[in-house]
Amino acid sequence: MRPEPPIVLITGASSGFGESTARLLAAEGCHLALGARRKDRLKNIALELSEKFGINVFDGEVDTRDTASVRNFVDSAVAHLGAIHVVIANAGLASGLHKIWEIPDEDMEAMLRTNVEGVVKTIRAALPHIRSAGWGHIFFVGSTAGHQTYEGGGVYSASKHGVKALAHALRLELCGEPIRVTSIDPGMAKTEFALVRYKDQARAESLYEGMDTLTGADIAECVRWCLELPDYVNIDEMIVKCRDQASHTMSKVHRH
Ligand code: NDP
Ligand code: 8X3
């Protein structure tokens, strides 16, 4: 049975898609478990949302690359909120724009460990709780880079192709259980993503210059819609781009 309201765990909730999704689902009355590494930001968001909407919000510092940290976050969330029904495995990043023969280990490991291992670790820790709650929905946050690659984006794209493979496999593995599996695969969106990737504010801003890009709120709306559909409906994959981006890569964009 679908719980009203569901309890939703979001990784990467300190900015971008994760924060926007937390804000929208809070307004819908969901209780929330918010995780990321920047604890102060999470605390402020949690306080604001619990006061504004009268919901229960647990905030926990988590590094999704680390098994013990993820287990501690998920178990503490359940201890505080009583259950978990929905997981949004959103924490992720791109680090640099390097050709395959140039990429430093540090950037490669950051992307593969966060975007692939971190997602597995999050779902692996949360799934027993979702099963015991008896109803669930697991969201992956993939990317258009999981469908097409581009120069300098080989490892990031490999990680997001990995996310797509995980979503497909999990849907097969959970078939017959009351748990839906959805991958939201956005194109270019103005969040902190480009700043984290380039570590250069001006370069990050120039990426989106003249474009009406997606925002965190647009992706939050996709999550809300998938979640609120009747239980027998499963949106497998949603590729979402702004109108100004015609290709899966940055090769065909309109700047005005
Ligand atoms: P942001 O940089 O704004 O948000 C990323 C979030 O992930 C932050 O909350 C960050 O929190 C968290 N995070 C990163 N590493 C870790 C970690 N090791 N442990 C826990 N949390 C972590 O970018 P977006 O909102 O854009 O990115 C969210 C997801 O969307 C990512 O998976 C990204 O790949 C994907 N995406 C983004 C697109 C875009 O153009 N913006 C397009 C397609 C997909 P903190 O630093 O506090 O830990
Ligand atoms: C982010 C989309 O095109 O910047 O996942 O790699 S892109």
Side-chain angles (χ1 to χ4, degrees), residues 11-18 35-39 62-65 89-94 114-115 141-144 156 160 185-194 196 208:
T11 63
S14 61
S15 67
F17 298 160
R37 293 165 301 178
R38 287 171 293 178
K39 211 172 150 193
V62 62
D63 184 335
T64 56
R65 294 168 298 183
N90 161 75
L93 78 168
T114 312
N115 300 354
V141 179
S143 168
T144 46
Y156 178 67
K160 291 299 184 176
D185 296 355
M188 296 168 80
K190 207 165 182 179
T191 60
E192 293 180 15
F193 176 83
V196 170
Y208 306 122

Side-chain angles (χ1 to χ4, degrees), residues 58-207:
F58 169 75
D59 59 280
E61 188 176 351
V62 62
D63 184 335
T64 56
R65 294 168 298 183
D66 182 79
T67 299
S69 171
V70 173
R71 286 206 188 285
N72 179 51
F73 168 60
V74 170
D75 293 346
S76 304
V78 173
H80 278 82
L81 300 170
I84 293 174
H85 305 104
V86 179
V87 168
I88 305 175
N90 161 75
L93 78 168
S95 193
L97 191 73
H98 300 284
K99 298 218 166 56
I100 285 164
W101 61 88
E102 290 170 341
I103 190 165
D105 278 355
E106 198 184 317
D107 293 304
M108 177 165 54
E109 284 167 14
M111 290 187 271
L112 295 175
R113 290 188 57 208
T114 312
N115 300 354
V116 181
E117 291 184 24
V119 166
V120 174
K121 287 175 183 189
T122 301
I123 292 167
R124 189 176 63 184
L127 192 58
H129 299 294
I130 296 179
R131 280 188 164 131
S132 64
W135 181 93
H137 198 150
I138 295 172
F139 286 88
F140 290 79
V141 179
S143 168
T144 46
H147 297 266
Q148 186 64 263
T149 190
Y150 53 92
E151 287 164 81
V155 172
Y156 178 67
S157 178
S159 75
K160 291 299 184 176
H161 276 73
V163 170
K164 184 170 65 181
L166 292 171
H168 285 198
L170 188 67
R171 199 174 303 108
L172 295 171
E173 290 165 358
L174 292 180
C175 182
E177 297 190 48
I179 304 172
R180 298 187 288 191
V181 178
T182 297
S183 182
I184 310 282
D185 296 355
M188 296 168 80
K190 207 165 182 179
T191 60
E192 293 180 15
F193 176 83
L195 181 60
V196 170
R197 175 174 229 170
Y198 298 123
K199 299 170 186 69
D200 176 335
Q201 185 78 44
R203 190 174 174 193
E205 277 173 16
S206 71
L207 182 67

